[in-house]
């Protein structure tokens, strides 16, 4: 193969999105049924080579009828994104047989269809068949000889186009005429956006065209009041055209960021559809997974991170990220955009972890977080009986930009204040958030937000009142996976200000030094030393402790209303 031929084929490259799909179920049971999973399994046990695995994955996405029967899905599966597999194929092009190369070139080419319709705004050319097995639904309620399905495709694409114009995004690079081409064809996907040739910018922008499903019959349910098919048409128009816009910035953006933002803009442009709810379990069931994980359905569910950024910094932040993304990989681009607001990922990520706790039945607690939080699943947590007086270690160790949710239930007989020690792997940077619950009331604390080390500790007053403590350790480093940590609790009796394990004269000395000699502050909070509960620490508290130790006075205890 000549260098020029190879470059032409590479220009066809990536299918950026086969918008995922799957019924609203949880992860592993679905993962095991998919065609891609079958192909991956065959490779892992040595039945097929890496070359053949890559070829079969591309075939499953773009030409499923040609797929060998042993890999076909028994239930008419709709596939997730095929980007990674096409990239693998193009990067290892010379390893394929000549027959495989010929088929791949065919799969990536523009289809020839019998009819074209220009959208009302005049920006899109919708190509479709009116006869044969690939014909679109021909219903034409307004009798204008244009199938309603095609008119709706044009309408929704126009709406997406106007929305992105209003948001100030770069225009999609032209392929030589004034129209952006959309082909309505059979796919095992909602749609794909295919880069073709480099644009005229000095960075890696690309021209592209789009393929969308020609019927959306049998696709996953959504909440669109006009029905699932119309909902799927809407979100695919918004999603795929945003991929075309992404190519105006950099064709080599990280795929997780491309998919996460495209899903988020489905929600922004067509909030009534809620197709994105289909993906959420693949984030909330796996909070330990890295935020920027690619090649799984997690990257679609990562729209929740984009949602968090928009809610806290505004929608313009996302365009800033794409501007920086011309030159930087996505996490660096996000950090650069956040620097305009005086912050960075590691500083805001623990708050993102907190937001993800308040969903489903917890959505009304702690103030307003995601507007639609009641419809989101509960995040996976680990429950610990009692306080971990011996060191607790997680079974699901968090990856970079991943988190755990550890719920502790103190024993009602515990009395005193509790010190929690967090000891994380020194290879990573950590953030810690915790919540204390007293019946229906709660207190949210960020003892170390964006913590730059591996160890921290914090004290919680009057453990006997607590129903539970929720500790949310997160890895704010970007890359290292499987990060271990330990959590241990230490119950401290009332009056033991210096944490020696006993109430004695040294605690009186500690308090005298603090009040009159500029000594160390009582640990964690001053009320630990407010023995007479008058709201301040003064000479009367020293007298209280002297009376307790030497004059049979009442013992120190918590201040309660």
């Amino acid at each position: 193969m000549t260098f020029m031929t190879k470059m032409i084929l590479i220009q066809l490259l990536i299918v950026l999105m086969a918008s995922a799909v799957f019924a609203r179920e949880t992860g592993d049971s679905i993962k095991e049924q998919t065609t891609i999973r079958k192909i991956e399994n065959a490779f892992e046990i040595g039945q097929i080579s890496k070359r053949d695995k890559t070829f079969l994955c591309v075939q499953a996405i773009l030409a499923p009828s040609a797929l060998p029967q042993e890999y076909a899905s028994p239930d008419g599966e709709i596939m997730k994104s095929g980007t990674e597999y096409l990239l693998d194929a193009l990067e290892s092009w010379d390893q394929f047989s000549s027959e495989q190369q010929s088929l791949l070139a065919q799969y990536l080419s523009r289809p020839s269809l019998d009819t074209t319709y220009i959208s009302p705004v005049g920006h899109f050319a919708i190509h479709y068949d009116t006869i044969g097995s690939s014909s679109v639904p021909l219903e034409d309620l307004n009798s204008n000889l244009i199938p309603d399905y095609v008119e709706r495709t044009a309408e929704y694409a126009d709406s997406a186009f106007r929305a992105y114009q209003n948001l100030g995004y770069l225009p999609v690079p032209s392929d030589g005429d004034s129209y952006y081409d959309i082909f309505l064809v059979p796919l095992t996907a909602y749609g794909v956006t295919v880069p073709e040739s480099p644009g005229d910018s000095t960075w890696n922008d690309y021209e592209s065209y789009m393929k969308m499903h020609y019927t959306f019959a049998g696709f996953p349910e959504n909440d669109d009041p006009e029905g699932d098919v119309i909902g799927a048409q809407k979100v695919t128009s918004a999603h795929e055209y945003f991929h075309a816009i992404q190519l105006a910035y950099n064709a080599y953006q990280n795929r997780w960021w491309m998919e996460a933002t495209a899903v988020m803009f489905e929600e922004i442009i067509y909030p009534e559809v809620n197709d994105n709810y289909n993906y959420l379990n693949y984030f909330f069931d796996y909070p330990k997974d890295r935020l920027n994980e690619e090649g799984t359905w997690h990257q679609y569910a990562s729209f929740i991170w984009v949602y968090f950024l928009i809610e806290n910094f505004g929608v313009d932040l996302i365009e800033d990220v794409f501007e920086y993304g011309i030159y930087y990989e996505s996490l660096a681009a996000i950090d650069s955009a956040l620097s305009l607001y005086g912050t960075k990922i590691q500083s805001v990520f623990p708050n993102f972890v907190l937001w993800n706790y308040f969903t489903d039945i917890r959505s009304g607690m702690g103030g307003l977080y995601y507007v639609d939080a009641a419809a989101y699943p509960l995040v996976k947590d680990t429950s610990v009986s009692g306080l971990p007086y011996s060191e607790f270690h997680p079974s699901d160790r968090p990856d970079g930009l991943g988190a755990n949710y550890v719920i502790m239930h103190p024993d009602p007989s515990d009395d005193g204040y509790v010190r929690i020690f967090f000891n994380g792997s020194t290879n990573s940077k950590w953030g810690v958030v915790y919540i204390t619950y007293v019946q229906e009331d709660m207190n949210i604390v960020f003892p170390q937000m964006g913590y730059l080390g591996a160890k921290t500790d914090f004290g919680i007053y009057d453990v006997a009142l607590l129903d539970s403590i929720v500790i949310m350790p997160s890895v704010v480093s970007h890359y290292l996976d499987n990060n271990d940590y330990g959590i241990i609790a230490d119950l401290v009796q009332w009056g033991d200000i210096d944490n020696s394990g006993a109430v004695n004269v040294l605690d009186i000395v500690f308090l005298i030094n603090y009040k009159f000699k500029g000594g160390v502050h009582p640990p964690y909070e001053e009320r630990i030393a407010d023995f007479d509960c008058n709201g301040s620490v003064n000479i009367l508290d020293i007298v209280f402790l002297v009376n307790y130790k030497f004059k049979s006075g009442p013992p120190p205890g918590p201040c309660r209303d």
Side-chain angles (χ1 to χ4, degrees):
M1 173 186 294
T2 67
F3 174 80
M4 183 59 69
T5 302
K6 186 173 181 179
M7 289 303 296
I8 291 172
L9 287 166
I10 288 176
Q11 287 174 9
L12 291 171
L13 50 161
I14 326 162
V15 173
L16 288 170
M17 158 74 205
S19 279
V21 310
F22 20 83
R24 300 184 184 194
E25 306 173 36
T26 34
D28 291 336
S29 62
I30 296 180
K31 290 179 182 178
E32 292 306 312
Q33 298 172 7
T34 66
T35 293
I36 294 294
R37 185 66 255 170
K38 291 179 183 179
I39 297 169
E40 294 280 3
N41 285 340
F43 169 69
E44 289 166 5
I45 64 176
Q47 289 182 346
I48 58 176
S49 67
K50 183 177 180 180
R51 177 198 72 176
D52 290 337
K53 180 201 79 167
T54 302
F55 177 79
L56 288 169
C57 286
V58 174
Q59 198 169 53
I61 293 158
L62 296 180
S65 63
L67 198 67
Q69 185 59 37
E70 61 265 35
Y71 301 114
S73 171
D75 56 1
E77 171 197 14
I78 305 299
M79 301 293 292
K80 64 180 177 66
S81 175
T83 304
E84 61 181 301
Y85 306 111
L86 289 180
L87 284 171
D88 288 345
L90 292 163
E91 288 170 355
S92 55
W93 187 268
D94 291 335
Q95 298 176 27
F96 293 114
S97 68
S98 58
E99 179 184 4
Q100 287 174 325
Q101 288 177 347
S102 176
L103 287 170
L104 287 170
Q106 176 185 329
Y107 299 155
L108 293 169
S109 63
R110 289 187 177 220
S112 178
L113 306 179
D114 63 38
T115 309
T116 297
Y117 171 69
I118 304 302
S119 71
V121 169
H123 184 68
F124 295 95
I126 316 296
H127 308 278
Y128 60 99
D129 277 340
T130 57
I131 58 174
S133 60
S134 298
S135 171
V136 299
L138 297 179
E139 183 179 56
D140 181 19
L141 295 179
N142 61 1
S143 302
N144 67 348
L145 305 181
I146 307 298
D148 298 336
Y149 186 90
V150 174
E151 289 186 290
R152 290 198 304 268
T153 300
E155 175 190 347
Y156 303 146
D158 278 347
S159 294
F161 167 68
R162 287 191 295 265
Y164 295 129
Q165 267 193 327
N166 292 337
L167 287 168
Y169 281 90
L170 291 177
V172 170
S174 170
D175 62 1
D177 61 28
S178 59
Y179 304 119
Y180 186 85
D181 295 296
I182 299 176
F183 296 84
L184 305 182
V185 294
L187 292 169
T188 58
Y190 282 60
V192 295
T193 302
V194 186
E196 291 191 288
S197 303
D200 58 6
S201 300
T202 57
W203 55 86
N204 294 316
D205 63 329
Y206 265 74
E207 303 165 9
S208 64
Y209 71 90
M210 185 191 304
K211 293 182 180 181
M212 288 176 57
H213 200 274
Y214 72 127
T215 66
F216 286 110
F219 272 58
E221 64 181 27
N222 57 64
D223 295 336
D224 194 288
E226 298 182 88
D228 293 342
V229 169
I230 287 177
Q233 286 185 284
K234 289 176 180 177
V235 296
T236 306
S237 299
H239 189 124
E240 295 305 329
Y241 194 65
F242 194 62
H243 280 326
I245 287 172
Q246 291 164 346
L247 293 178
Y249 292 86
N250 189 342
Y252 304 108
Q253 284 276 349
N254 297 97
R255 293 191 295 276
W256 77 273
W257 178 247
M258 298 178 79
E259 299 300 346
T261 51
V263 173
M264 186 62 231
F265 276 104
E266 297 175 15
E267 176 72 9
I268 290 173
I269 297 174
Y270 293 111
E272 71 276 14
V273 179
N274 297 327
D275 184 76
N276 52 338
Y277 290 3
N278 287 310
Y279 319 150
L280 279 170
N281 279 321
Y282 295 92
F283 194 97
F284 285 90
D285 284 355
Y286 307 97
K288 56 97 42 197
D289 288 351
R290 60 171 55 250
L291 172 68
N292 57 331
E293 179 180 318
E294 296 189 338
T296 71
W297 294 342
H298 186 276
Q299 63 193 6
Y300 297 97
S302 291
F303 83 84
I304 200 71
W305 165 248
V306 188
Y307 192 175
F308 169 82
L309 292 177
I310 290 172
E311 287 294 292
N312 284 273
F313 302 100
V315 71
D316 289 345
L317 174 78
I318 308 307
E319 202 277 332
D320 292 336
V321 175
F322 279 101
E323 291 281 356
Y324 284 111
I326 291 172
Y327 307 105
Y328 306 123
E329 62 86 27
S330 295
L331 290 177
I334 295 170
D335 261 338
S336 297
L338 286 173
S339 71
L340 302 174
Y341 299 83
T343 190
K344 51 188 173 180
I345 293 173
Q346 73 176 28
S347 296
V348 303
F349 190 76
N351 196 31
F352 170 64
V353 171
L354 175 68
W355 276 47
N356 294 335
Y357 185 72
F358 292 104
T359 60
D360 197 86
I361 59 174
R362 293 193 287 257
S363 61
M365 305 166 69
L368 181 64
Y369 291 94
Y370 303 113
V371 173
D372 299 325
Y376 297 168
L378 287 174
V379 71
K380 179 183 177 183
D381 58 58
T382 298
S383 185
V384 178
S385 179
L387 294 172
Y389 297 123
S390 60
E391 196 165 47
F392 163 83
H393 287 268
S395 57
D396 291 336
R397 298 174 178 178
D399 298 333
L401 295 180
N404 283 167
Y405 296 80
V406 181
I407 303 179
M408 301 175 180
H409 302 276
D411 191 298
S413 65
D414 291 335
D415 190 28
Y417 75 88
V418 64
R419 295 185 299 175
I420 305 290
F421 296 90
F422 176 84
N423 184 15
S425 165
T426 57
N427 294 322
S428 293
K429 298 176 182 178
W430 296 82
V432 178
V433 185
Y434 73 85
I435 304 172
T436 58
Y437 283 92
V438 180
Q439 296 181 357
E440 297 301 318
D441 296 327
M442 69 178 185
N443 184 40
I444 300 171
V445 183
F446 291 84
Q448 296 289 354
M449 187 174 178
Y451 188 56
L452 300 184
K455 298 176 186 285
T456 190
D457 62 278
F458 47 92
I460 300 174
Y461 189 80
D462 201 5
V463 68
L465 290 181
L466 297 184
D467 297 309
S468 61
I469 304 168
V470 185
I471 300 179
M472 307 175 190
S474 58
V475 181
V476 298
S477 304
H478 294 179
Y479 300 108
L480 290 179
D481 291 342
N482 199 34
N483 296 278
D484 192 22
Y485 62 85
I487 297 175
I488 189 169
D490 184 7
L491 190 63
V492 181
Q493 65 178 300
W494 298 112
D496 183 13
I497 311 172
D498 64 356
N499 293 324
S500 67
V503 181
N504 53 36
V505 70
L506 295 178
D507 298 297
I508 298 171
V509 172
F510 183 103
L511 201 50
I512 291 170
N513 285 336
Y514 166 60
K515 288 306 297 180
F516 302 110
K517 298 184 179 181
V520 177
H521 189 284
Y524 309 118
E525 54 179 300
E526 189 167 273
R527 66 175 170 161
I528 288 170
D530 182 16
F531 302 125
D532 63 358
C533 297
N534 69 356
S536 64
V537 177
N538 51 40
I539 188 66
L540 297 178
D541 298 296
I542 298 173
V543 171
F544 186 103
L545 207 54
V546 169
N547 286 336
Y548 166 63
K549 287 305 297 179
F550 302 110
K551 298 183 180 181
S552 301
C559 299
R560 296 173 179 164
D561 296 332

Short mmCIF file of all heavy atoms in Angstrom, two decimals, residues 430-463:
data_model
loop_
_atom_site.label_atom_id
_atom_site.label_comp_id
_atom_site.label_asym_id
_atom_site.label_seq_id
_atom_site.Cartn_x
_atom_site.Cartn_y
_atom_site.Cartn_z
N TRP A 430 -5.09 12.99 47.29
CA TRP A 430 -6.42 12.61 47.75
C TRP A 430 -7.25 13.82 48.12
O TRP A 430 -6.71 14.85 48.51
CB TRP A 430 -6.31 11.69 48.97
CG TRP A 430 -5.64 10.39 48.70
CD1 TRP A 430 -4.29 10.15 48.65
CD2 TRP A 430 -6.28 9.15 48.43
NE1 TRP A 430 -4.05 8.82 48.37
CE2 TRP A 430 -5.26 8.18 48.22
CE3 TRP A 430 -7.60 8.74 48.35
CZ2 TRP A 430 -5.54 6.85 47.95
CZ3 TRP A 430 -7.89 7.41 48.06
CH2 TRP A 430 -6.86 6.48 47.87
N GLY A 431 -8.55 13.67 48.02
CA GLY A 431 -9.51 14.60 48.60
C GLY A 431 -10.44 13.82 49.49
O GLY A 431 -10.74 12.65 49.23
N VAL A 432 -10.91 14.43 50.57
CA VAL A 432 -11.79 13.74 51.51
C VAL A 432 -12.95 14.67 51.85
O VAL A 432 -12.76 15.85 52.15
CB VAL A 432 -11.06 13.35 52.81
CG1 VAL A 432 -12.03 12.69 53.78
CG2 VAL A 432 -9.90 12.40 52.51
N VAL A 433 -14.15 14.13 51.80
CA VAL A 433 -15.35 14.81 52.27
C VAL A 433 -16.04 13.86 53.24
O VAL A 433 -15.99 12.65 53.04
CB VAL A 433 -16.32 15.13 51.12
CG1 VAL A 433 -17.50 15.95 51.62
CG2 VAL A 433 -15.61 15.86 50.00
N TYR A 434 -16.65 14.38 54.29
CA TYR A 434 -17.46 13.49 55.12
C TYR A 434 -18.75 14.19 55.53
O TYR A 434 -18.85 15.41 55.54
CB TYR A 434 -16.69 12.98 56.34
CG TYR A 434 -16.44 13.97 57.45
CD1 TYR A 434 -17.40 14.21 58.44
CD2 TYR A 434 -15.22 14.65 57.55
CE1 TYR A 434 -17.17 15.10 59.48
CE2 TYR A 434 -14.98 15.54 58.58
CZ TYR A 434 -15.96 15.76 59.55
OH TYR A 434 -15.72 16.64 60.57
N ILE A 435 -19.74 13.36 55.83
CA ILE A 435 -21.05 13.83 56.26
C ILE A 435 -21.38 13.12 57.57
O ILE A 435 -21.17 11.91 57.69
CB ILE A 435 -22.15 13.51 55.24
CG1 ILE A 435 -21.82 14.08 53.86
CG2 ILE A 435 -23.50 14.02 55.70
CD1 ILE A 435 -22.78 13.63 52.78
N THR A 436 -21.90 13.84 58.53
CA THR A 436 -22.43 13.22 59.75
C THR A 436 -23.94 13.38 59.76
O THR A 436 -24.47 14.44 59.42
CB THR A 436 -21.83 13.86 61.01
OG1 THR A 436 -22.11 15.26 61.02
CG2 THR A 436 -20.33 13.65 61.06
N TYR A 437 -24.62 12.31 60.16
CA TYR A 437 -26.08 12.32 60.23
C TYR A 437 -26.52 12.17 61.69
O TYR A 437 -26.06 11.26 62.39
CB TYR A 437 -26.67 11.16 59.44
CG TYR A 437 -26.67 11.36 57.95
CD1 TYR A 437 -25.62 10.92 57.17
CD2 TYR A 437 -27.75 11.99 57.32
CE1 TYR A 437 -25.62 11.10 55.79
CE2 TYR A 437 -27.76 12.18 55.95
CZ TYR A 437 -26.70 11.73 55.19
OH TYR A 437 -26.72 11.91 53.84
N VAL A 438 -27.39 13.06 62.13
CA VAL A 438 -28.06 12.94 63.42
C VAL A 438 -29.55 12.99 63.11
O VAL A 438 -30.11 14.07 62.83
CB VAL A 438 -27.67 14.06 64.39
CG1 VAL A 438 -28.41 13.89 65.71
CG2 VAL A 438 -26.17 14.10 64.60
N GLN A 439 -30.18 11.81 63.09
CA GLN A 439 -31.56 11.69 62.64
C GLN A 439 -31.69 12.31 61.25
O GLN A 439 -31.02 11.89 60.33
CB GLN A 439 -32.50 12.31 63.68
CG GLN A 439 -32.46 11.58 65.02
CD GLN A 439 -33.39 12.17 66.04
OE1 GLN A 439 -34.05 13.19 65.81
NE2 GLN A 439 -33.45 11.57 67.22
N GLU A 440 -32.54 13.33 61.11
CA GLU A 440 -32.74 13.91 59.78
C GLU A 440 -31.77 15.04 59.47
O GLU A 440 -31.74 15.56 58.36
CB GLU A 440 -34.18 14.43 59.65
CG GLU A 440 -35.24 13.36 59.76
CD GLU A 440 -35.08 12.28 58.70
OE1 GLU A 440 -34.79 12.62 57.54
OE2 GLU A 440 -35.24 11.10 59.05
N ASP A 441 -30.99 15.45 60.46
CA ASP A 441 -30.06 16.56 60.27
C ASP A 441 -28.69 16.03 59.86
O ASP A 441 -28.27 14.95 60.26
CB ASP A 441 -29.91 17.37 61.56
CG ASP A 441 -31.21 18.05 61.96
OD1 ASP A 441 -31.97 18.44 61.05
OD2 ASP A 441 -31.47 18.15 63.17
N MET A 442 -27.99 16.81 59.06
CA MET A 442 -26.66 16.38 58.65
C MET A 442 -25.74 17.57 58.56
O MET A 442 -26.16 18.72 58.46
CB MET A 442 -26.71 15.64 57.32
CG MET A 442 -27.04 16.50 56.13
SD MET A 442 -27.02 15.52 54.62
CE MET A 442 -27.30 16.81 53.44
N ASN A 443 -24.47 17.24 58.59
CA ASN A 443 -23.42 18.26 58.50
C ASN A 443 -22.40 17.79 57.48
O ASN A 443 -21.91 16.66 57.57
CB ASN A 443 -22.76 18.46 59.87
CG ASN A 443 -21.73 19.58 59.84
OD1 ASN A 443 -21.94 20.61 59.21
ND2 ASN A 443 -20.61 19.35 60.50
N ILE A 444 -22.09 18.64 56.50
CA ILE A 444 -21.14 18.29 55.44
C ILE A 444 -19.83 19.03 55.71
O ILE A 444 -19.84 20.24 55.94
CB ILE A 444 -21.68 18.68 54.05
CG1 ILE A 444 -22.99 17.94 53.77
CG2 ILE A 444 -20.65 18.39 52.96
CD1 ILE A 444 -23.71 18.42 52.52
N VAL A 445 -18.73 18.30 55.68
CA VAL A 445 -17.44 18.88 56.00
C VAL A 445 -16.42 18.49 54.93
O VAL A 445 -16.40 17.35 54.47
CB VAL A 445 -16.93 18.40 57.38
CG1 VAL A 445 -15.61 19.08 57.74
CG2 VAL A 445 -17.97 18.69 58.47
N PHE A 446 -15.61 19.47 54.54
CA PHE A 446 -14.49 19.23 53.64
C PHE A 446 -13.20 19.41 54.45
O PHE A 446 -12.59 20.47 54.41
CB PHE A 446 -14.48 20.23 52.48
CG PHE A 446 -15.60 20.05 51.51
CD1 PHE A 446 -16.84 20.61 51.74
CD2 PHE A 446 -15.42 19.31 50.36
CE1 PHE A 446 -17.87 20.46 50.84
CE2 PHE A 446 -16.45 19.14 49.45
CZ PHE A 446 -17.68 19.71 49.68
N PRO A 447 -12.76 18.39 55.19
CA PRO A 447 -11.55 18.59 55.99
C PRO A 447 -10.31 18.79 55.13
O PRO A 447 -9.40 19.53 55.50
CB PRO A 447 -11.46 17.31 56.81
CG PRO A 447 -12.22 16.30 56.03
CD PRO A 447 -13.32 17.05 55.34
N GLN A 448 -10.27 18.12 53.99
CA GLN A 448 -9.14 18.29 53.08
C GLN A 448 -9.67 18.23 51.66
O GLN A 448 -9.79 17.18 51.06
CB GLN A 448 -8.08 17.19 53.28
CG GLN A 448 -7.41 17.21 54.63
CD GLN A 448 -6.48 18.40 54.81
OE1 GLN A 448 -6.25 19.15 53.88
NE2 GLN A 448 -5.96 18.56 56.01
N MET A 449 -10.01 19.37 51.10
CA MET A 449 -10.55 19.44 49.74
C MET A 449 -9.40 19.68 48.78
O MET A 449 -8.70 20.67 48.85
CB MET A 449 -11.57 20.56 49.64
CG MET A 449 -12.30 20.60 48.33
SD MET A 449 -13.59 21.85 48.40
CE MET A 449 -14.25 21.75 46.73
N GLY A 450 -9.19 18.73 47.87
CA GLY A 450 -8.04 18.82 47.00
C GLY A 450 -6.76 18.60 47.77
O GLY A 450 -5.74 19.21 47.50
N TYR A 451 -6.79 17.71 48.74
CA TYR A 451 -5.65 17.45 49.61
C TYR A 451 -4.45 17.00 48.79
O TYR A 451 -4.56 16.16 47.91
CB TYR A 451 -6.05 16.39 50.63
CG TYR A 451 -5.05 16.14 51.73
CD1 TYR A 451 -4.60 17.19 52.53
CD2 TYR A 451 -4.55 14.87 51.95
CE1 TYR A 451 -3.70 16.96 53.54
CE2 TYR A 451 -3.65 14.64 52.97
CZ TYR A 451 -3.22 15.68 53.76
OH TYR A 451 -2.32 15.45 54.76
N LEU A 452 -3.27 17.55 49.10
CA LEU A 452 -2.09 17.30 48.28
C LEU A 452 -1.21 16.18 48.83
O LEU A 452 -0.10 15.99 48.37
CB LEU A 452 -1.26 18.58 48.15
CG LEU A 452 -2.00 19.75 47.50
CD1 LEU A 452 -1.07 20.94 47.33
CD2 LEU A 452 -2.59 19.36 46.17
N GLY A 453 -1.68 15.45 49.82
CA GLY A 453 -0.88 14.39 50.38
C GLY A 453 -1.69 13.13 50.52
O GLY A 453 -2.68 12.92 49.83
N ALA A 454 -1.27 12.29 51.45
CA ALA A 454 -1.91 11.00 51.59
C ALA A 454 -2.54 10.79 52.95
O ALA A 454 -3.25 9.81 53.15
CB ALA A 454 -0.89 9.90 51.33
N LYS A 455 -2.30 11.65 53.91
CA LYS A 455 -2.80 11.44 55.26
C LYS A 455 -3.58 12.67 55.73
O LYS A 455 -3.21 13.80 55.45
CB LYS A 455 -1.64 11.21 56.24
CG LYS A 455 -0.80 9.97 55.96
CD LYS A 455 0.37 9.92 56.94
CE LYS A 455 1.32 8.78 56.61
NZ LYS A 455 0.80 7.48 56.98
N THR A 456 -4.63 12.42 56.47
CA THR A 456 -5.35 13.48 57.16
C THR A 456 -6.13 12.86 58.30
O THR A 456 -6.32 11.64 58.35
CB THR A 456 -6.29 14.26 56.22
OG1 THR A 456 -6.77 15.41 56.88
CG2 THR A 456 -7.45 13.40 55.76
N ASP A 457 -6.58 13.68 59.21
CA ASP A 457 -7.43 13.20 60.29
C ASP A 457 -8.41 14.31 60.64
O ASP A 457 -8.17 15.48 60.38
CB ASP A 457 -6.61 12.76 61.50
CG ASP A 457 -5.81 13.91 62.11
OD1 ASP A 457 -4.72 14.20 61.57
OD2 ASP A 457 -6.28 14.52 63.10
N PHE A 458 -9.52 13.91 61.23
CA PHE A 458 -10.53 14.88 61.61
C PHE A 458 -11.31 14.33 62.80
O PHE A 458 -11.35 13.11 63.03
CB PHE A 458 -11.47 15.23 60.46
CG PHE A 458 -12.00 14.06 59.69
CD1 PHE A 458 -13.21 13.46 60.05
CD2 PHE A 458 -11.31 13.54 58.61
CE1 PHE A 458 -13.70 12.38 59.34
CE2 PHE A 458 -11.80 12.46 57.89
CZ PHE A 458 -13.01 11.87 58.27
N GLY A 459 -11.86 15.24 63.59
CA GLY A 459 -12.61 14.85 64.77
C GLY A 459 -14.08 15.14 64.62
O GLY A 459 -14.47 16.14 64.02
N ILE A 460 -14.89 14.26 65.18
CA ILE A 460 -16.34 14.41 65.11
C ILE A 460 -16.87 14.43 66.54
O ILE A 460 -16.66 13.49 67.31
CB ILE A 460 -16.98 13.27 64.30
CG1 ILE A 460 -16.42 13.27 62.87
CG2 ILE A 460 -18.49 13.41 64.30
CD1 ILE A 460 -16.88 12.10 62.03
N TYR A 461 -17.57 15.49 66.88
CA TYR A 461 -18.03 15.74 68.24
C TYR A 461 -19.25 14.89 68.58
O TYR A 461 -20.18 14.77 67.80
CB TYR A 461 -18.37 17.22 68.37
CG TYR A 461 -18.66 17.71 69.77
CD1 TYR A 461 -17.61 17.98 70.65
CD2 TYR A 461 -19.96 17.91 70.19
CE1 TYR A 461 -17.88 18.46 71.93
CE2 TYR A 461 -20.24 18.39 71.45
CZ TYR A 461 -19.19 18.66 72.33
OH TYR A 461 -19.45 19.13 73.59
N ASP A 462 -19.25 14.28 69.75
CA ASP A 462 -20.40 13.60 70.33
C ASP A 462 -20.92 12.47 69.44
O ASP A 462 -22.03 12.52 68.90
CB ASP A 462 -21.51 14.61 70.62
CG ASP A 462 -22.51 14.08 71.66
OD1 ASP A 462 -22.27 12.99 72.21
OD2 ASP A 462 -23.51 14.78 71.92
N VAL A 463 -20.11 11.43 69.34
CA VAL A 463 -20.44 10.32 68.46
C VAL A 463 -21.71 9.59 68.90
O VAL A 463 -22.39 8.97 68.08
CB VAL A 463 -19.25 9.34 68.37
CG1 VAL A 463 -19.02 8.62 69.69
CG2 VAL A 463 -19.45 8.33 67.25
#
